[in-house]
Amino acid sequence: MAGDEPDSTLAESGEFAVIERLVGGRRQPDTVSVGPGDDAAVVAAPDGRAVLCTDMLVQDRHFRLHWSSPHDIGRKAVAQNAADIEAMGARATAYVVGFAAPAETSTARAVELADGMWQEAALTGAGVVGGDMVRAPLWVISVAAMGDLEGRDPVRRDGARPGDIVAVCGELGRSAAGHALWDRGIERFPELRRRHLVPEPPYGQGRIAAEGGAGSMVDVSDGLVADLTHVATASGVRIDLFSDAFASDVDAVADAARTVGADPRDWVFGGGEDHALVATFATAAPPGWRVVGRVLPADGVGRVSVDDTVWG
């Protein structure tokens, strides 16, 4: 039958055959007692509370099929949700996926997308436990993630206090640099180009930050200053960043910035989708975190500055 051919389309294969190829033979973590194949999944929540988030990626807005492989897109879709779970101080336990695509999409590309999702999910110790697939004029991927606090309090955005330090875990500016390179068709700097396609959240560090006394935390999805503005506003404080603390980030993207005529600081302070974690601590930051700023009493709603100068 046509649907059995390796290059068959989603329409030729049929929904149930495609779903079987997407989920068949996958290994679930111990927290999943009922996975794909039933009306709903069953996932353990030993803490008694569940941390939930969801995010969507739309073709030509959040990814481009002529830049990214389906495998890369799958990894990115899971990573950006996993980073939100990390930012609450939790551990990811399960993902539910919705996938929309044109009927003429090859089944092999859908399987490649799923392979990327499963690879990234495995990095977080979780599995893909269910989802849905529909026909649409372009690719749309929706991921919902579930996490476990393991007895800890959630780390929210409103817990920063004057006198706290601000610390970062992860790298900044790489995704924005990569986007600029892709957008201009510049094939140099392959690592930066790669980091735009597949972010690298610091998995496990959200839990470490929570256990280390983080008062507030957020992942850098919209840009460091933009995301810290949410923290400053929710906490009623001002946050001042030390430019010298970002020298390694600026240096990492400086050559690419010169190539495209950009300011590398704009990528480091304003670029999103790196999914590093930034948190505030009353005392020392945990190992693996670098101190990059301080929390001050508010002298303006949600103000974030760099070296005491308002950014932007």
Side-chain angles (χ1 to χ4, degrees), residues 33-74:
S33 56
V34 178
D38 219 309
D39 291 314
V42 179
V43 181
D47 179 86
R49 300 166 294 174
V51 180
L52 300 172
C53 68
T54 188
D55 213 339
M56 298 181 68
L57 288 87
V58 178
Q59 180 183 338
D60 298 330
R61 177 172 176 83
H62 302 104
F63 63 89
R64 302 183 187 181
L65 289 170
H66 60 285
W67 290 4
S68 302
S69 70
H71 192 276
D72 291 340
I73 296 166

Side-chain angles (χ1 to χ4, degrees), residues 166 168 241-249 269 290-293 307:
V166 181
V168 166
L241 300 173
F242 312 141
S243 61
D244 289 349
F246 300 92
S248 62
D249 295 304
F269 292 109
R290 53 187 165 126
V291 176
V292 298
D307 296 334

Side-chain angles (χ1 to χ4, degrees), residues 110-122:
V111 172
E112 187 182 350
L113 175 76
D115 287 343
M117 290 182 172
W118 280 90
Q119 178 178 331
E120 197 71 20

Side-chain angles (χ1 to χ4, degrees), residues 87-294:
M88 297 299 291
R91 176 181 61 85
T93 55
Y95 303 95
V96 177
V97 177
F99 175 48
E104 62 270 19
T105 301
S106 73
T107 302
R109 286 171 70 79
V111 172
E112 187 182 350
L113 175 76
D115 287 343
M117 290 182 172
W118 280 90
Q119 178 178 331
E120 197 71 20
L123 295 178
T124 71
V128 180
V129 300
D132 192 20
M133 185 175 65
V134 299
R135 182 180 302 185
L138 75 173
W139 283 31
V140 179
I141 302 153
S142 176
V143 177
M146 176 178 175
D148 182 23
L149 287 164
E150 301 175 314
R152 297 181 293 274
D153 290 332
V155 184
R156 297 169 42 149
R157 297 180 177 184
D158 60 359
R161 299 291 180 266
D164 288 355
I165 59 172
V166 181
V168 166
C169 187
E171 297 173 331
L172 299 166
R174 274 66 164 181
S175 180
H179 181 274
L181 294 166
W182 278 104
D183 192 50
R184 291 163 176 80
I186 298 171
E187 296 185 359
R188 296 172 58 198
F189 312 104
E191 177 58 25
L192 294 177
R193 284 160 56 90
R194 178 70 181 163
R195 287 291 290 274
H196 175 66
L197 304 183
V198 181
E200 297 181 7
Y203 293 133
Q205 289 294 332
R207 172 185 57 81
I208 289 172
E211 292 175 345
S216 66
M217 185 159 49
V218 68
D219 83 295
V220 182
S221 56
D222 296 323
L224 179 65
V225 170
D227 288 311
L228 278 177
T229 297
H230 297 314
V231 173
T233 300
S235 301
V237 297
R238 177 164 76 91
I239 292 176
D240 184 53
L241 300 173
F242 312 141
S243 61
D244 289 349
F246 300 92
S248 62
D249 295 304
V250 172
D251 289 346
V253 301
D255 287 346
R258 281 191 289 270
T259 299
V260 303
D263 185 342
R265 286 162 44 96
D266 289 340
W267 291 344
V268 171
F269 292 109
E273 296 189 3
D274 283 299
H275 297 293
L277 297 175
V278 58
T280 60
F281 299 89
T283 55
W289 290 70
R290 53 187 165 126
V291 176
V292 298
R294 57 183 176 167

